[in-house]
PDB file of all heavy atoms in Angstrom:
ATOM      1  N   GLY A   8     -30.299 -15.018  95.034  1.00  0.00           N
ATOM      2  CA  GLY A   8     -30.453 -16.307  94.361  1.00  0.00           C
ATOM      3  C   GLY A   8     -31.765 -17.049  94.429  1.00  0.00           C
ATOM      4  O   GLY A   8     -31.946 -17.996  93.700  1.00  0.00           O
ATOM      5  N   LYS A  13     -37.349 -15.968  91.444  1.00  0.00           N
ATOM      6  CA  LYS A  13     -38.785 -16.305  91.363  1.00  0.00           C
ATOM      7  C   LYS A  13     -39.554 -15.133  90.761  1.00  0.00           C
ATOM      8  O   LYS A  13     -40.398 -15.303  89.893  1.00  0.00           O
ATOM      9  CB  LYS A  13     -39.355 -16.578  92.765  1.00  0.00           C
ATOM     10  CG  LYS A  13     -39.065 -17.934  93.328  1.00  0.00           C
ATOM     11  CD  LYS A  13     -39.838 -18.102  94.647  1.00  0.00           C
ATOM     12  CE  LYS A  13     -39.307 -19.291  95.412  1.00  0.00           C
ATOM     13  NZ  LYS A  13     -39.886 -19.415  96.756  1.00  0.00           N
ATOM     14  N   SER A 196     -27.058 -11.203 100.177  1.00  0.00           N
ATOM     15  CA  SER A 196     -27.265 -11.142  98.722  1.00  0.00           C
ATOM     16  C   SER A 196     -27.305  -9.700  98.227  1.00  0.00           C
ATOM     17  O   SER A 196     -26.614  -9.344  97.283  1.00  0.00           O
ATOM     18  CB  SER A 196     -28.567 -11.850  98.330  1.00  0.00           C
ATOM     19  OG  SER A 196     -28.465 -13.221  98.594  1.00  0.00           O
ATOM     20  N   PRO A 220     -38.200  -9.920 101.749  1.00  0.00           N
ATOM     21  CA  PRO A 220     -38.031 -11.376 101.730  1.00  0.00           C
ATOM     22  C   PRO A 220     -38.525 -11.996 103.039  1.00  0.00           C
ATOM     23  O   PRO A 220     -38.574 -13.209 103.174  1.00  0.00           O
ATOM     24  CB  PRO A 220     -36.509 -11.543 101.604  1.00  0.00           C
ATOM     25  CG  PRO A 220     -35.946 -10.334 102.272  1.00  0.00           C
ATOM     26  CD  PRO A 220     -36.936  -9.216 102.065  1.00  0.00           C
ATOM     27  N   VAL A 227     -38.791 -16.669 103.854  1.00  0.00           N
ATOM     28  CA  VAL A 227     -39.471 -17.790 103.194  1.00  0.00           C
ATOM     29  C   VAL A 227     -38.512 -18.985 103.109  1.00  0.00           C
ATOM     30  O   VAL A 227     -38.924 -20.133 103.189  1.00  0.00           O
ATOM     31  CB  VAL A 227     -39.948 -17.362 101.779  1.00  0.00           C
ATOM     32  CG1 VAL A 227     -40.642 -18.504 101.055  1.00  0.00           C
ATOM     33  CG2 VAL A 227     -40.877 -16.161 101.884  1.00  0.00           C
ATOM     34  N   THR A 279     -46.915 -11.541  98.394  1.00  0.00           N
ATOM     35  CA  THR A 279     -45.510 -11.627  97.954  1.00  0.00           C
ATOM     36  C   THR A 279     -44.985 -13.061  98.009  1.00  0.00           C
ATOM     37  O   THR A 279     -43.809 -13.292  97.737  1.00  0.00           O
ATOM     38  CB  THR A 279     -44.596 -10.730  98.819  1.00  0.00           C
ATOM     39  OG1 THR A 279     -44.592 -11.244 100.160  1.00  0.00           O
ATOM     40  CG2 THR A 279     -45.044  -9.289  98.814  1.00  0.00           C
ATOM     41  N   MET A 281     -44.488 -16.356  96.401  1.00  0.00           N
ATOM     42  CA  MET A 281     -44.577 -16.875  95.021  1.00  0.00           C
ATOM     43  C   MET A 281     -44.473 -18.399  95.035  1.00  0.00           C
ATOM     44  O   MET A 281     -43.398 -18.956  95.024  1.00  0.00           O
ATOM     45  CB  MET A 281     -43.473 -16.233  94.170  1.00  0.00           C
ATOM     46  CG  MET A 281     -43.686 -14.736  93.995  1.00  0.00           C
ATOM     47  SD  MET A 281     -42.244 -13.898  93.311  1.00  0.00           S
ATOM     48  CE  MET A 281     -41.217 -13.729  94.763  1.00  0.00           C
TER      49      MET A 281
HETATM   50  P1  GDP B   1     -30.124 -16.966 100.686  1.00  0.00           P
HETATM   51  O1  GDP B   1     -30.877 -18.173 100.201  1.00  0.00           O
HETATM   52  O2  GDP B   1     -30.539 -16.502 102.033  1.00  0.00           O
HETATM   53  O3  GDP B   1     -28.674 -17.002 100.432  1.00  0.00           O
HETATM   54  O4  GDP B   1     -30.595 -15.695  99.854  1.00  0.00           O
HETATM   55  P2  GDP B   1     -31.141 -15.434  98.415  1.00  0.00           P
HETATM   56  O5  GDP B   1     -31.009 -13.990  98.227  1.00  0.00           O
HETATM   57  O6  GDP B   1     -30.497 -16.320  97.452  1.00  0.00           O
HETATM   58  O7  GDP B   1     -32.680 -15.780  98.470  1.00  0.00           O
HETATM   59  C1  GDP B   1     -33.355 -16.152  99.602  1.00  0.00           C
HETATM   60  C2  GDP B   1     -34.339 -15.089 100.032  1.00  0.00           C
HETATM   61  O8  GDP B   1     -35.478 -15.129  99.168  1.00  0.00           O
HETATM   62  C3  GDP B   1     -34.817 -15.426 101.431  1.00  0.00           C
HETATM   63  O9  GDP B   1     -34.583 -14.351 102.293  1.00  0.00           O
HETATM   64  C4  GDP B   1     -36.307 -15.711 101.245  1.00  0.00           C
HETATM   65  O10 GDP B   1     -37.099 -15.261 102.307  1.00  0.00           O
HETATM   66  C5  GDP B   1     -36.650 -15.003  99.949  1.00  0.00           C
HETATM   67  N1  GDP B   1     -37.762 -15.655  99.257  1.00  0.00           N
HETATM   68  C6  GDP B   1     -37.767 -16.877  98.691  1.00  0.00           C
HETATM   69  N2  GDP B   1     -38.971 -17.121  98.146  1.00  0.00           N
HETATM   70  C7  GDP B   1     -39.741 -16.036  98.375  1.00  0.00           C
HETATM   71  C8  GDP B   1     -41.086 -15.688  98.061  1.00  0.00           C
HETATM   72  O11 GDP B   1     -41.841 -16.430  97.437  1.00  0.00           O
HETATM   73  N3  GDP B   1     -41.532 -14.472  98.488  1.00  0.00           N
HETATM   74  C9  GDP B   1     -40.734 -13.607  99.204  1.00  0.00           C
HETATM   75  N4  GDP B   1     -41.247 -12.446  99.588  1.00  0.00           N
HETATM   76  N5  GDP B   1     -39.455 -13.900  99.510  1.00  0.00           N
HETATM   77  C10 GDP B   1     -38.962 -15.090  99.092  1.00  0.00           C
END
Side-chain angles (χ1 to χ4, degrees):
K13 281 187 194 173
S196 294
V227 179
T279 65
M281 294 168 280

